[in-house]
Amino acid sequence: MKRRMAVFCSLLALLIAGLSVAQQKSPVTAIKAGRLIDPETGTVATNQVILIEGEKITGVGPNLAIPSGATVIDLSQLTVLPGLVDAHTHMAITYKEQPENNYYYLTYITDSTALRAIQAASNGMQLLNSGFTVVRDVGNNALYADAALRQAIEQGWLPGPTVIPSGPMIGSTGGQFWPTPEMYKYHNIMFPEYIDANSPDEIVRAVRENMLFGARTIKLCIDCKPWGYSVEDIKLAIREAAKGGCKVEGHVQTADGAQLAIDAGVYIIAHNNALTPDHHRQMAEKGIFLAGTDTPFTPYRGSEAAFKRTVANLRDAWEKKVLLTFSTDMDYWNERMKDPKTGEWLTRGELTINFLETWKAAGIPQADILRAMTINGYKAADIISQRGPIKPGFFADIIAVPGNPLSDIDALRNVRFVMKNGMVFKKDGVMVPEKFFHPGPVKTPNGRWSR
Ligand SMILES: [Zn+2]
């Protein structure tokens, strides 16, 4: 009996050892890249091999040996580069001409948080399909639908970009709404679209609550109301956010507000409309990122006059050497969002990449546009130490396009291949997301109870 028990125990030990070895070994993938862009330097290397083990890049070079048993992905006819970043968007709100006449105060009444969370999940996949592997999702996302989407993607329920959520925007009385006394006082209509935070205590509480509920950045309404925030208020928010590892984005819509945000030293300023050349100069000096949200003039959005201003402002910011990011503020939809040639609906990814129109009109060099869409985006999202560069140790978030975006930025409209966290999402121009779907949280990167 004792001997049988001993044999059983040693068999069990062998089995456990075997299992742990099997668990340690991640599948190896080798990408053969015809051209590999380094957006930091704006240079191209030809015929490179990228080795990926599990979720991360383990090697990059021209003559790397491909281990036997590795899955080989042949992108030798394509240009390979890091995934793209939309540094300011809203995935969990879709205001429409019908029924709400583009008034998102009403969207908040008609669309539940649950519905908006599902919209966000769909938008995430559409963005990934167009090569956007990171989005900063900054407010107007119902009751933390943005944070829930980040968690769901991280846990392995479904594919999507790396989401940097802000939770509700923090503002002074009224946020961006002008509610009736009934709705404000008796129905608490501000929350969850905005958190009213008026005193230092309330600002600290609001920042802490957002971080507790899963925010990875803090969005402040600097001047949404004439009684907005002071430099001291903003500095307090920055200090408190830093305790939870978050940077602060200031929403700015007036020149005075811009000056307050700059003086306080926010990490990112959202919206370029109200900024002057002098603000741009100061931002460049202080190293403040700009998420200009540079809307193109299209059949579905904008006016020629507004577009001219947007282009001139973007051009000035570039001339002053502000740290530019590619950002959209997409949060709307209408029935004119169709491809004029095919009559097909444009996807959220296609609508996003179409913001290139503004950058081209501003005459910004292709290498600088690409840097804004990648490296600067990763820095603004504060994840540059983990994602972005195609170098060993970084997450494998990799896309590929025909042509060369450094000489024709529109090449980015034709993303043929997308890899996120080492898993293939799109190949040969077709979405193949099967590996991303699971009936449970297969990964818990922050521990079971942590958001
Ligand atoms: Zn916005």
Side-chain angles (χ1 to χ4, degrees):
M1 188 64 195
K2 254 186 189 173
R3 225 181 70 131
R4 236 189 264 168
M5 196 63 193
V7 169
F8 175 75
C9 284
S10 50
L11 275 175
L12 197 65
L14 271 175
L15 188 68
I16 289 167
L19 273 177
S20 63
V21 166
Q23 274 173 354
Q24 276 163 16
K25 268 198 179 164
S26 298
V28 176
T29 305
I31 293 178
K32 289 181 172 175
R35 293 170 298 276
L36 176 63
I37 292 185
D38 178 356
E40 178 88 69
T41 55
T43 54
V44 185
T46 52
N47 297 323
Q48 300 288 301
V49 172
I50 306 164
L51 292 179
I52 295 135
E53 216 176 303
E55 299 189 312
K56 292 189 174 170
I57 298 164
T58 52
V60 184
N63 299 310
L64 290 189
I66 295 176
S68 66
T71 306
V72 178
I73 298 172
D74 185 4
L75 305 177
S76 56
Q77 301 305 310
L78 300 177
T79 301
V80 174
L81 65 154
L84 309 175
V85 183
D86 184 342
H88 182 123
T89 192
H90 305 273
M91 300 215 287
I93 185 164
T94 313
Y95 61 82
K96 307 168 287 296
E97 289 174 347
Q98 300 291 337
E100 66 260 46
N101 196 25
N102 282 334
Y103 192 26
Y104 67 85
Y105 182 90
L106 299 177
T107 314
Y108 167 38
I109 312 288
T110 56
D111 290 2
S112 66
T113 297
L115 174 60
R116 290 169 63 178
I118 294 167
Q119 293 170 5
S122 175
N123 281 333
M125 285 184 249
Q126 295 176 53
L127 281 160
L128 203 51
N129 189 37
S130 287
F132 287 88
T133 53
V134 178
V135 296
R136 294 186 67 259
D137 197 352
V138 280
N140 295 116
N141 281 319
L143 197 56
Y144 298 92
D146 51 350
L149 179 62
R150 174 183 66 73
Q151 261 190 299
I153 292 167
E154 281 181 1
Q155 292 183 356
W157 287 94
L158 81 172
T162 297
V163 180
I164 309 295
S166 71
M169 249 194 259
I170 299 168
S172 50
T173 302
Q176 289 181 294
F177 287 166
W178 292 90
T180 59
E182 296 90 322
M183 296 312 284
Y184 185 86
K185 291 181 79 76
Y186 304 115
H187 296 284
N188 196 20
I189 192 79
M190 303 310 302
F191 189 75
E193 289 312 299
Y194 303 93
I195 301 178
D196 271 352
N198 288 292
S199 63
D201 281 357
E202 287 177 358
I203 290 169
V204 167
R205 176 196 291 262
V207 169
R208 287 180 186 178
E209 279 187 4
N210 273 356
M211 296 193 296
L212 181 66
F213 298 146
R216 289 286 186 270
T217 184
I218 295 297
K219 173 95 177 276
L220 277 192
C221 248
I222 303 291
D223 55 359
C224 294
K225 290 286 178 285
W227 48 84
Y229 288 132
S230 68
V231 171
E232 276 317 306
D233 291 335
I234 303 166
K235 280 185 171 170
L236 174 63
I238 293 169
R239 280 201 304 276
E240 201 57 32
K243 293 179 188 167
C246 287
K247 301 282 201 283
V248 170
E249 169 173 308
H251 164 105
V252 157
Q253 59 192 48
T254 64
D256 289 347
Q259 194 57 56
L260 294 169
I262 292 168
D263 289 345
V266 297
Y267 192 64
I268 310 178
I269 288 183
H271 313 303
N272 198 5
N273 297 346
L275 304 188
T276 64
D278 188 49
H279 291 135
H280 290 152
R281 187 189 53 72
Q282 295 178 63
M283 284 172 73
E285 222 172 81
K286 283 196 152 186
I288 297 173
F289 288 95
L290 175 61
T293 63
D294 317 283
T295 304
F297 178 38
T298 58
Y300 50 83
R301 193 75 175 175
S303 68
E304 197 157 6
F307 183 58
K308 275 187 180 160
R309 280 197 304 276
T310 302
V311 166
N313 282 357
L314 179 58
R315 175 83 197 176
D316 186 76
W318 175 77
E319 283 174 359
K320 300 286 189 306
K321 298 190 165 51
V322 178
L323 295 168
L324 300 179
T325 65
F326 185 84
S327 59
T328 62
D329 213 12
M330 285 289 307
D331 48 11
Y332 44 87
W333 182 85
N334 62 59
E335 299 196 359
R336 297 180 302 287
M337 288 174 164
K338 288 184 176 170
D339 185 324
K341 284 185 204 132
T342 63
E344 300 273 339
W345 296 114
L346 294 166
T347 70
R348 176 63 179 260
E350 289 166 334
L351 293 162
T352 297
I353 198 75
N354 205 32
F355 279 65
L356 280 177
E357 290 306 316
T358 314
W359 291 73
K360 289 193 298 177
I364 298 181
Q366 331 254 357
D368 289 351
I369 301 178
L370 196 59
R371 199 172 296 113
M373 299 179 86
T374 53
I375 298 301
N376 284 1
Y378 288 100
K379 286 179 180 169
D382 203 18
I383 52 170
I384 189 74
S385 61
Q386 301 158 36
R387 293 177 194 274
I390 300 186
K391 289 178 185 161
F394 286 80
F395 281 96
D397 291 355
I398 294 169
I399 67 170
V401 298
N404 181 357
L406 286 172
S407 51
D408 174 19
I409 198 73
D410 281 317
L412 296 178
R413 291 173 186 270
N414 188 12
V415 170
R416 308 297 295 169
F417 173 85
V418 177
M419 174 179 270
K420 171 82 195 312
N421 277 34
M423 280 191 289
V424 176
F425 176 78
K426 185 179 193 179
K427 210 181 162 202
D428 301 325
V430 179
M431 280 193 266
V432 286
E434 293 87 347
K435 287 214 162 69
F436 286 83
F437 290 104
H438 302 285
V442 294
K443 293 190 290 176
T444 49
N446 300 306
R448 193 167 172 200
W449 298 111
S450 161
R451 290 192 180 85

